[in-house]
Amino acid sequence: MGAETRTSAAAPGPHAQSESGQSQAPLGLAKRTSNLFRDRTEGAKRRLDLSDFTHVNGVDTEAGTVDVEGLTTYEALVDATLPHGVMPAVVPQLKTITVGGAVAGVGIEATSFRHGLVHDTVTSIDVLLPDGDIVTCAPDNDYRDLFYGFPNSYGTLGYALRLVMRTIPVKPFVRVTHDRYSSPRAFFDAVASACDGDVDFVDGVVFDGNTMVLSTGRFTASAEAASDYTYEQIYYRSLLAKPRDVLTAKGYIWRWDTDWFWCSRNLGAQHPLLRRLYGRSRLNSRTYTGLMRWNSRWGLTRRLARWRGLHPESVIQDVDLPIEEAPAFLDFLLREIGVLPIWICPIRVPASQPSFTLYPVRPGRLYVNFGFWDVVYSRQALPAGHYNRLIELEVMRRGGIKSLYSDSYFSREEFDGAYNMAAYEALKRRYDPNGRMLGVYEKCVGKG
C-alpha cells in the first residue's frame, strides 16, 4: 500500500445490489455469514457485494506483517500464515470472523494482554468510502483520523478492502497450564501477574463463584503428543481435568471454535451420541451460527419457553473492565445475571500507542474482558432488555466499555459519552457527508 492514496472504486469488484428499488436506501454489506448477535429490524438497503475481497496478498516475515483483503476469514488467514512460521498477532476465537469485521468491530484473544485488540495490530487500511472512493489510511498520513476512527464504527464510515497487519512468530506446539482458584481476588491477581510475565497466551474461565481457572500458554518447538479438541474431546472441560496440556499451534488457535466456547451444549452437540451424528466437519461455529439464526428467525426457543411459563432474554455480551474493578463486576454478574461459564481475557494496549477514537481504552492500562453468552429466564415479564440494561449500567458505573456486536439499550446521551460521538460526527461529516450509511447509534442500538 502507498502511504497516502485516494482513488475511485469504479473498477471491477465492489458493486451495489439494490433491494426493492430503493436507490436512496442506506448502504449495507452483502454477506452470507455474520458474527453480529443482535436482532435487526432492517429496512431496505443497497447491498454492496465485496465477496471478491478474500485474498491473502502476501506474508512478509522480515517486516512481521501480512497483507490481506477485508472479507478474508481468519480461518483462511491462519492457514496462509502458519506455513511461514507466523500468525496474526491477535486471532479472534471463531473461524468465520472476517479480518475487516474484526477491525470495524472489536476482536480479542489470549494474546491481547500484550498486543491489544485486533485493530491495535493494524498498520494501514484501504477503506471503501460511502461515496465510492478508496483511501489508504495510516497513523501518519492525511487520513489518520479515519485510521483511528474506523475501529468500532461497524460499517458506518466505509468498508475495509485491504489491510496490513502485524504477525508474531509461532512454534509448532503450545504448552498450556491451567491453574485453579477459589477466590475472585486471588484469581484476578494471578491474571495481572501472568500479564507481566513471559508467557505467550493468557485467558481463563469462571465456572462458578468458587471455581476459576487461569490458563497460560507458551510456544514450544516439540512435544511427544498433542490433545485434539476438534471432535470427541471438549476443550473447556479439559481446564478442570488437566492441569497441564499440549496442543498444536493451530489446535490452540481454534480451541474454542469446535464448541463455540461452551455454547454448543444449547444445541445438543456435547451429548456423545449427538456429537457423533454432527460429525467432525459440523462441529464448529459456522454450523452453530446457522442454527442460531434459524432459531432466531422461527422463534422455537421463545415458544418453548412461553409454553413452560418462562420469559427468555438473550444475554450475549463482551465487556471490558479495568482489572481493579473485575472482582466487583464478577460479583455483580453472579448475583444479578447468573450466566455461567464466563470467559476471561485480559487486554492491554501498548502504552506508546494512541487511543482509538470509538473504543477509548486507556493505553498501558490492564483491562479484563468478560464474555458471557446465554439466555436468562424469568417467571415474570420484564421490560425488553432488562438484564442487558443492568449490565450496561454496571459497566458504565465501573469505567468499562462494552462491545457493540450484540443487543444494546443505551440512551443517546449515554452512548454519546461512552463512545466519543462528538469525534464520530466529525468523521461522518468528512467521510459520509451525504449520509449514505447509517450512523453507529442507529445501527448498533437502533438495530438498523
Coordinates of all heavy atoms in Angstrom, one line a residue, residues 194-252:
A194 N 0.3 -12.8 35.6 CA 0.6 -13.5 34.3 C 0.9 -12.6 33.2 O 1.8 -12.8 32.3 CB -0.5 -14.5 34.0
C195 N 0.1 -11.5 33.2 CA 0.3 -10.5 32.1 C 1.6 -9.8 32.2 O 2.1 -9.2 31.2 CB -0.9 -9.5 32.1 SG -2.5 -10.2 31.7
D196 N 2.3 -9.8 33.3 CA 3.6 -9.2 33.5 C 4.7 -10.2 33.3 O 5.9 -9.8 33.5 CB 3.7 -8.5 34.9 CG 2.8 -7.3 35.0 OD1 2.5 -6.6 34.0 OD2 2.3 -7.0 36.1
G197 N 4.4 -11.4 33.0 CA 5.4 -12.5 32.8 C 5.8 -12.7 31.4 O 5.5 -11.8 30.5
D198 N 6.4 -13.8 31.1 CA 6.9 -14.1 29.8 C 6.1 -15.1 29.0 O 6.6 -15.7 28.0 CB 8.4 -14.6 30.0 CG 8.4 -15.9 30.8 OD1 7.4 -16.4 31.3 OD2 9.5 -16.5 30.8
V199 N 4.9 -15.4 29.4 CA 4.0 -16.3 28.7 C 3.6 -15.7 27.3 O 3.6 -14.5 27.2 CB 2.8 -16.8 29.5 CG1 3.3 -17.6 30.7 CG2 1.9 -15.6 29.9
D200 N 3.1 -16.6 26.4 CA 2.6 -16.1 25.1 C 1.1 -15.9 25.1 O 0.6 -15.1 24.3 CB 3.0 -17.1 24.0 CG 4.5 -17.2 23.9 OD1 5.2 -16.2 23.6 OD2 5.0 -18.4 24.1
F201 N 0.4 -16.6 26.0 CA -1.1 -16.5 25.9 C -1.6 -16.5 27.4 O -1.1 -17.2 28.3 CB -1.7 -17.7 25.2 CG -1.2 -18.0 23.8 CD1 -0.2 -18.9 23.6 CD2 -1.8 -17.3 22.8 CE1 0.3 -19.1 22.3 CE2 -1.3 -17.5 21.5 CZ -0.3 -18.4 21.2
V202 N -2.7 -15.7 27.6 CA -3.3 -15.6 28.9 C -4.8 -15.5 28.7 O -5.3 -14.6 28.0 CB -2.9 -14.4 29.7 CG1 -3.6 -14.4 31.1 CG2 -1.4 -14.4 29.9
D203 N -5.6 -16.4 29.2 CA -7.1 -16.3 29.3 C -7.5 -17.2 30.5 O -6.7 -17.8 31.2 CB -7.8 -16.5 28.0 CG -7.8 -18.0 27.6 OD1 -7.0 -18.8 28.2 OD2 -8.6 -18.3 26.7
G204 N -8.8 -17.2 30.7 CA -9.3 -18.0 31.8 C -10.8 -18.2 31.7 O -11.5 -17.6 30.9
V205 N -11.4 -19.0 32.6 CA -12.8 -19.3 32.7 C -13.3 -19.2 34.1 O -12.6 -19.8 35.0 CB -13.1 -20.6 32.0 CG1 -14.6 -21.0 32.2 CG2 -12.8 -20.6 30.6
V206 N -14.4 -18.5 34.4 CA -15.1 -18.6 35.7 C -16.2 -19.7 35.5 O -17.1 -19.5 34.7 CB -15.7 -17.3 36.0 CG1 -16.5 -17.4 37.3 CG2 -14.6 -16.2 36.2
F207 N -16.1 -20.8 36.2 CA -17.1 -21.8 36.2 C -18.2 -21.5 37.2 O -19.4 -21.9 36.9 CB -16.5 -23.2 36.4 CG -15.6 -23.6 35.3 CD1 -14.3 -23.4 35.2 CD2 -16.2 -24.4 34.2 CE1 -13.5 -23.8 34.2 CE2 -15.4 -24.8 33.2 CZ -14.1 -24.5 33.1
D208 N -17.8 -21.0 38.4 CA -18.8 -20.5 39.3 C -18.1 -19.6 40.3 O -16.9 -19.4 40.1 CB -19.5 -21.7 40.1 CG -18.6 -22.6 40.8 OD1 -17.6 -22.2 41.5 OD2 -18.7 -23.9 40.7
G209 N -18.8 -19.2 41.4 CA -18.1 -18.2 42.3 C -17.0 -18.8 43.1 O -16.2 -18.0 43.7
N210 N -16.8 -20.1 43.1 CA -15.7 -20.7 43.8 C -14.7 -21.5 42.9 O -13.8 -22.1 43.4 CB -16.3 -21.7 44.9 CG -17.1 -21.0 45.8 OD1 -16.7 -20.0 46.5 ND2 -18.4 -21.4 46.0
T211 N -14.9 -21.4 41.6 CA -14.1 -22.2 40.7 C -13.7 -21.4 39.5 O -14.6 -21.1 38.6 CB -14.8 -23.5 40.2 OG1 -15.4 -24.2 41.3 CG2 -13.9 -24.4 39.4
M212 N -12.5 -20.9 39.4 CA -11.9 -20.1 38.4 C -10.6 -20.7 37.9 O -9.9 -21.2 38.7 CB -11.7 -18.7 38.8 CG -12.9 -17.9 39.1 SD -12.8 -16.9 40.7 CE -13.5 -18.1 41.8
V213 N -10.4 -20.8 36.6 CA -9.2 -21.4 36.0 C -8.5 -20.3 35.2 O -9.1 -19.8 34.3 CB -9.5 -22.6 35.2 CG1 -8.3 -23.2 34.5 CG2 -10.2 -23.7 36.1
L214 N -7.2 -20.1 35.5 CA -6.4 -19.2 34.7 C -5.5 -20.1 33.8 O -4.8 -21.0 34.3 CB -5.4 -18.4 35.6 CG -4.3 -17.6 34.9 CD1 -4.9 -16.6 34.0 CD2 -3.4 -17.0 36.0
S215 N -5.6 -19.9 32.5 CA -4.8 -20.7 31.5 C -3.7 -19.8 30.9 O -4.0 -18.7 30.4 CB -5.7 -21.2 30.4 OG -6.8 -22.0 30.9
T216 N -2.5 -20.3 31.0 CA -1.4 -19.6 30.4 C -0.7 -20.5 29.4 O -0.6 -21.8 29.7 CB -0.3 -19.1 31.4 OG1 0.0 -20.2 32.3 CG2 -0.9 -18.0 32.3
G217 N -0.3 -20.0 28.3 CA 0.3 -20.9 27.2 C 1.7 -20.3 26.8 O 1.9 -19.1 26.7
R218 N 2.5 -21.3 26.4 CA 3.8 -20.9 25.9 C 4.1 -21.8 24.6 O 3.8 -23.0 24.6 CB 5.0 -21.2 26.9 CG 5.1 -20.3 28.0 CD 6.2 -20.7 29.0 NE 6.5 -19.7 30.0 CZ 5.8 -19.7 31.2 NH1 4.9 -20.5 31.4 NH2 6.1 -18.7 32.1
F219 N 4.6 -21.1 23.6 CA 5.0 -21.9 22.4 C 6.2 -22.8 22.8 O 7.0 -22.5 23.6 CB 5.5 -20.9 21.3 CG 4.4 -20.2 20.5 CD1 4.3 -18.9 20.6 CD2 3.5 -21.0 19.8 CE1 3.2 -18.2 19.8 CE2 2.5 -20.4 19.1 CZ 2.3 -19.0 19.1
T220 N 6.2 -23.9 22.1 CA 7.3 -24.9 22.3 C 7.6 -25.6 20.9 O 6.7 -25.8 20.1 CB 7.0 -25.9 23.4 OG1 8.1 -26.8 23.6 CG2 5.8 -26.8 23.0
A221 N 8.8 -25.9 20.7 CA 9.2 -26.5 19.4 C 8.9 -28.0 19.3 O 8.7 -28.5 18.2 CB 10.7 -26.3 19.2
S222 N 8.7 -28.7 20.4 CA 8.5 -30.1 20.3 C 7.5 -30.6 21.4 O 7.4 -29.9 22.4 CB 9.8 -30.9 20.4 OG 10.4 -30.6 21.6
A223 N 6.9 -31.7 21.2 CA 6.0 -32.3 22.1 C 5.9 -33.8 21.7 O 5.8 -34.1 20.5 CB 4.7 -31.6 22.2
E224 N 5.7 -34.7 22.7 CA 5.5 -36.1 22.4 C 4.2 -36.4 21.8 O 4.0 -37.2 20.9 CB 5.7 -36.9 23.7 CG 7.1 -36.9 24.2 CD 7.3 -37.8 25.5 OE1 6.3 -38.4 25.9 OE2 8.4 -37.9 26.0
A225 N 3.1 -35.6 22.3 CA 1.8 -35.8 21.7 C 1.0 -34.5 22.0 O 1.4 -33.7 22.9 CB 1.1 -37.0 22.4
A226 N -0.1 -34.3 21.3 CA -0.9 -33.2 21.4 C -2.4 -33.6 21.5 O -2.8 -34.5 20.8 CB -0.7 -32.2 20.2
S227 N -3.1 -32.9 22.4 CA -4.5 -33.1 22.5 C -5.3 -32.6 21.3 O -4.9 -31.7 20.7 CB -5.1 -32.5 23.8 OG -4.4 -32.9 25.0
D228 N -6.4 -33.3 21.0 CA -7.2 -33.0 19.9 C -8.6 -32.6 20.4 O -9.3 -33.4 20.9 CB -7.3 -34.2 18.9 CG -8.2 -33.9 17.7 OD1 -8.7 -32.8 17.6 OD2 -8.3 -34.8 16.9
Y229 N -9.0 -31.3 20.2 CA -10.3 -30.9 20.6 C -11.2 -30.5 19.5 O -12.1 -29.7 19.6 CB -10.2 -29.7 21.6 CG -9.4 -30.0 22.8 CD1 -8.1 -29.7 23.0 CD2 -10.1 -30.8 23.8 CE1 -7.4 -30.0 24.2 CE2 -9.4 -31.1 25.0 CZ -8.1 -30.8 25.2 OH -7.4 -31.1 26.3
T230 N -11.0 -31.2 18.3 CA -11.9 -31.0 17.2 C -13.0 -32.0 17.0 O -13.8 -31.8 16.1 CB -11.0 -31.0 15.9 OG1 -10.4 -32.3 15.7 CG2 -9.9 -30.0 16.0
Y231 N -13.1 -32.9 17.9 CA -14.2 -33.9 17.8 C -14.7 -34.4 19.1 O -15.6 -33.8 19.7 CB -13.7 -35.1 16.9 CG -14.8 -36.0 16.5 CD1 -16.2 -35.6 16.4 CD2 -14.6 -37.4 16.2 CE1 -17.2 -36.5 16.0 CE2 -15.6 -38.2 15.8 CZ -16.9 -37.8 15.7 OH -17.9 -38.7 15.3
E232 N -14.2 -35.5 19.6 CA -14.8 -36.1 20.8 C -14.5 -35.4 22.1 O -15.3 -35.3 23.0 CB -14.4 -37.6 20.9 CG -14.9 -38.5 19.8 CD -14.6 -39.9 19.9 OE1 -13.6 -40.2 20.7 OE2 -15.2 -40.8 19.3
Q233 N -13.3 -34.8 22.2 CA -12.9 -34.1 23.4 C -13.4 -32.6 23.4 O -13.3 -32.0 22.3 CB -11.4 -34.2 23.6 CG -10.8 -35.6 23.6 CD -11.5 -36.4 24.7 OE1 -11.5 -36.0 25.9 NE2 -11.9 -37.7 24.4
I234 N -13.7 -32.1 24.5 CA -14.3 -30.8 24.7 C -13.3 -29.9 25.4 O -13.0 -30.2 26.6 CB -15.7 -30.8 25.3 CG1 -16.7 -31.6 24.4 CG2 -16.2 -29.4 25.5 CD1 -18.0 -31.8 25.0
Y235 N -12.8 -28.8 24.8 CA -11.7 -28.1 25.4 C -12.1 -27.5 26.8 O -11.3 -27.6 27.7 CB -11.3 -27.0 24.4 CG -10.2 -26.1 25.0 CD1 -8.9 -26.7 25.2 CD2 -10.4 -24.8 25.5 CE1 -7.9 -25.9 25.7 CE2 -9.4 -24.1 26.1 CZ -8.1 -24.7 26.2 OH -7.1 -23.9 26.8
Y236 N -13.2 -26.8 26.9 CA -13.4 -26.1 28.2 C -13.5 -27.1 29.4 O -13.1 -26.7 30.5 CB -14.6 -25.2 28.1 CG -16.0 -25.8 28.3 CD1 -16.6 -25.8 29.6 CD2 -16.7 -26.4 27.3 CE1 -17.8 -26.4 29.8 CE2 -17.9 -26.9 27.4 CZ -18.5 -26.9 28.7 OH -19.7 -27.5 28.9
R237 N -14.0 -28.3 29.1 CA -14.0 -29.3 30.2 C -12.6 -29.7 30.6 O -12.3 -30.1 31.8 CB -14.8 -30.5 29.8 CG -16.3 -30.2 29.6 CD -17.0 -31.5 29.1 NE -18.4 -31.3 29.0 CZ -19.2 -32.2 28.5 NH1 -18.8 -33.4 28.1 NH2 -20.5 -31.9 28.4
S238 N -11.6 -29.6 29.7 CA -10.3 -30.0 30.0 C -9.6 -29.1 31.0 O -8.6 -29.5 31.7 CB -9.4 -30.1 28.7 OG -9.1 -28.8 28.3
L239 N -10.1 -27.9 31.1 CA -9.5 -26.9 32.0 C -9.6 -27.4 33.5 O -8.7 -27.1 34.3 CB -10.2 -25.5 31.9 CG -9.7 -24.6 30.8 CD1 -9.8 -25.2 29.4 CD2 -10.4 -23.3 30.9
L240 N -10.6 -28.2 33.8 CA -10.8 -28.7 35.1 C -10.2 -30.1 35.3 O -9.9 -30.5 36.4 CB -12.3 -28.8 35.5 CG -13.0 -27.4 35.6 CD1 -14.5 -27.6 35.8 CD2 -12.5 -26.6 36.7
A241 N -10.0 -30.7 34.2 CA -9.5 -32.1 34.2 C -8.0 -32.3 34.0 O -7.4 -33.2 34.5 CB -10.2 -33.0 33.1
K242 N -7.3 -31.3 33.4 CA -5.9 -31.4 33.0 C -5.2 -30.2 33.5 O -5.3 -29.1 32.9 CB -5.7 -31.5 31.5 CG -6.3 -32.8 30.9 CD -6.0 -32.8 29.4 CE -6.5 -34.0 28.7 NZ -6.2 -34.0 27.3
P243 N -4.4 -30.3 34.6 CA -3.6 -29.1 35.0 C -2.6 -28.7 33.9 O -2.2 -27.5 33.8 CB -2.9 -29.6 36.2 CG -3.7 -30.7 36.7 CD -4.3 -31.4 35.5
R244 N -2.1 -29.6 33.1 CA -1.1 -29.4 32.0 C -1.7 -30.0 30.7 O -2.3 -31.0 30.8 CB 0.2 -29.9 32.3 CG 0.8 -29.5 33.7 CD 1.3 -28.1 33.6 NE 1.9 -27.7 34.9 CZ 1.3 -27.2 35.9 NH1 0.0 -27.0 35.9 NH2 1.9 -26.8 37.0
D245 N -1.4 -29.3 29.6 CA -1.9 -29.8 28.3 C -0.9 -29.3 27.2 O -0.2 -28.4 27.4 CB -3.3 -29.3 28.1 CG -4.1 -30.2 27.1 OD1 -3.5 -31.1 26.6 OD2 -5.3 -30.0 27.0
V246 N -1.0 -30.0 26.1 CA -0.3 -29.6 24.9 C -1.2 -29.6 23.7 O -1.9 -30.6 23.5 CB 1.0 -30.5 24.7 CG1 1.7 -30.1 23.4 CG2 1.9 -30.5 25.8
L247 N -1.2 -28.6 22.9 CA -1.9 -28.5 21.7 C -1.0 -28.1 20.5 O 0.0 -27.5 20.8 CB -3.1 -27.5 21.7 CG -4.3 -27.8 22.7 CD1 -3.9 -27.5 24.1 CD2 -5.5 -27.0 22.3
T248 N -1.4 -28.5 19.3 CA -0.6 -27.9 18.2 C -0.9 -26.4 18.2 O -1.9 -26.0 18.7 CB -1.1 -28.5 16.9 OG1 -2.4 -28.2 16.6 CG2 -0.9 -30.1 16.9
A249 N -0.1 -25.7 17.5 CA -0.3 -24.2 17.4 C -1.7 -23.9 16.8 O -2.5 -23.1 17.3 CB 0.8 -23.5 16.6
K250 N -2.0 -24.7 15.7 CA -3.3 -24.5 15.0 C -4.4 -24.9 15.9 O -5.5 -24.3 16.0 CB -3.4 -25.2 13.7 CG -4.6 -25.0 12.9 CD -4.5 -25.6 11.5 CE -5.7 -25.3 10.7 NZ -5.6 -25.9 9.3
G251 N -4.3 -26.0 16.6 CA -5.3 -26.5 17.6 C -5.5 -25.6 18.7 O -6.7 -25.4 19.1
Y252 N -4.5 -24.9 19.1 CA -4.7 -23.9 20.2 C -5.4 -22.7 19.7 O -6.3 -22.2 20.3 CB -3.3 -23.4 20.8 CG -3.5 -22.4 21.9 CD1 -3.7 -22.9 23.2 CD2 -3.5 -21.1 21.6 CE1 -4.0 -21.9 24.2 CE2 -3.7 -20.1 22.7 CZ -3.9 -20.6 23.9 OH -4.1 -19.7 24.9

